[in-house]
């Protein structure tokens, strides 16, 4: 018998934390766009994506938002499937998902609602409470994602805490 050392088994591809975070952020933003478009635009009829014109233009803008959201979901799922086969970093993926969810909601609440004024959450009511709830929920999701990203960064690729 030989006393040669046994070589380690071949290692699989290394996890790709930045890619996992980015792909899942895309999925999170697209998912939140879907929730916004389905619940607030279609079911509740509170607003259209663009409310500063005719109802026909509003419906067209909703269709364009829906198209962008579907493209984001399809592209995100294809990218996610590729990561899952090769180099998914689960902790970074979860962080990205929550960053995307909260990032979309904050962008919509601050930029679309307040800065550009392309639409409000509701019309004919005092929107202060709605704004606080919408932006507060978005901030909570985004901060959860940021905390998960910091925690994931402190972990070694094998899931152990880095020394």
């Amino acid at each position: 018998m030989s006393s040669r050392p046994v070589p380690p088994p071949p290692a699989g591809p290394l996890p790709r934390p930045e890619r996992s975070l980015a792909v899942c952020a895309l999925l999170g933003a697209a998912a939140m766009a879907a929730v916004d478009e389905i619940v607030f635009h279609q079911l509740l009829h509170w607003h259209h994506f663009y409310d500063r014109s005719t109802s026909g233009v509003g419906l067209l803008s909703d269709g364009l938002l829906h198209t962008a959201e579907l493209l984001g979901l399809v592209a995100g799922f294809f990218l996610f499937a590729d990561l899952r086969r090769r180099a998914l970093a689960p902790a970074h993926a979860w962080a990205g998902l929550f960053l995307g969810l909260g990032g979309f909601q904050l962008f919509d609440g601050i930029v679309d609602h307040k800065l550009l004024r392309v639409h409000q959450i509701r019309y004919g009511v005092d929107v202060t409470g709605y704004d606080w709830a919408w932006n507060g929920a978005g901030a909570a999701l985004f901060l959860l994602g940021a905390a998960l990203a910091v925690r994931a960064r402190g972990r070694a690729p094998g899931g152990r805490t880095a020394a």
Side-chain angles (χ1 to χ4, degrees):
M1 275 186 27
S2 145
S3 62
R4 286 184 290 164
V6 176
L14 293 175
R16 304 221 13 226
E18 297 83 11
R19 185 170 170 88
S20 296
L21 190 129
V23 166
C24 289
L26 171 64
L27 282 170
M32 188 55 76
V35 169
D36 179 29
E37 201 263 329
I38 291 166
V39 174
F40 297 102
H41 299 212
Q42 293 178 9
L43 296 177
L44 296 174
H45 299 262
W46 281 4
H47 62 264
H48 294 294
F49 179 71
Y50 184 72
D51 273 339
R52 299 184 68 157
S53 187
T54 65
S55 62
V57 170
L59 286 173
L60 172 66
S61 71
D62 285 348
L64 294 172
L65 174 63
H66 190 60
T67 301
E69 151 231 316
L70 282 174
L71 289 172
L73 285 171
V74 169
F77 279 121
F78 272 102
L79 293 167
F80 182 78
D82 183 55
L83 270 174
R84 188 143 164 80
R85 270 184 292 145
R86 297 175 181 212
L88 180 67
H92 289 83
W94 280 109
L97 179 70
F98 284 103
L99 287 169
L101 291 168
F104 175 86
Q105 200 162 339
L106 284 172
F107 183 88
D108 187 44
I110 295 168
V111 176
D112 291 342
H113 297 179
K114 298 305 168 199
L115 297 177
L116 299 178
R117 297 191 170 274
V118 295
H119 65 262
Q120 291 300 314
I121 294 176
R122 279 191 86 175
Y123 293 95
V125 297
D126 178 16
V127 296
T128 305
Y130 292 99
D131 285 337
W132 278 102
W134 186 261
N135 292 322
L141 289 166
F142 192 83
L143 290 173
L144 175 58
L148 289 172
V150 168
R151 183 174 178 215
R153 193 178 328 137
R155 293 185 175 270
R160 299 176 312 274
T161 303

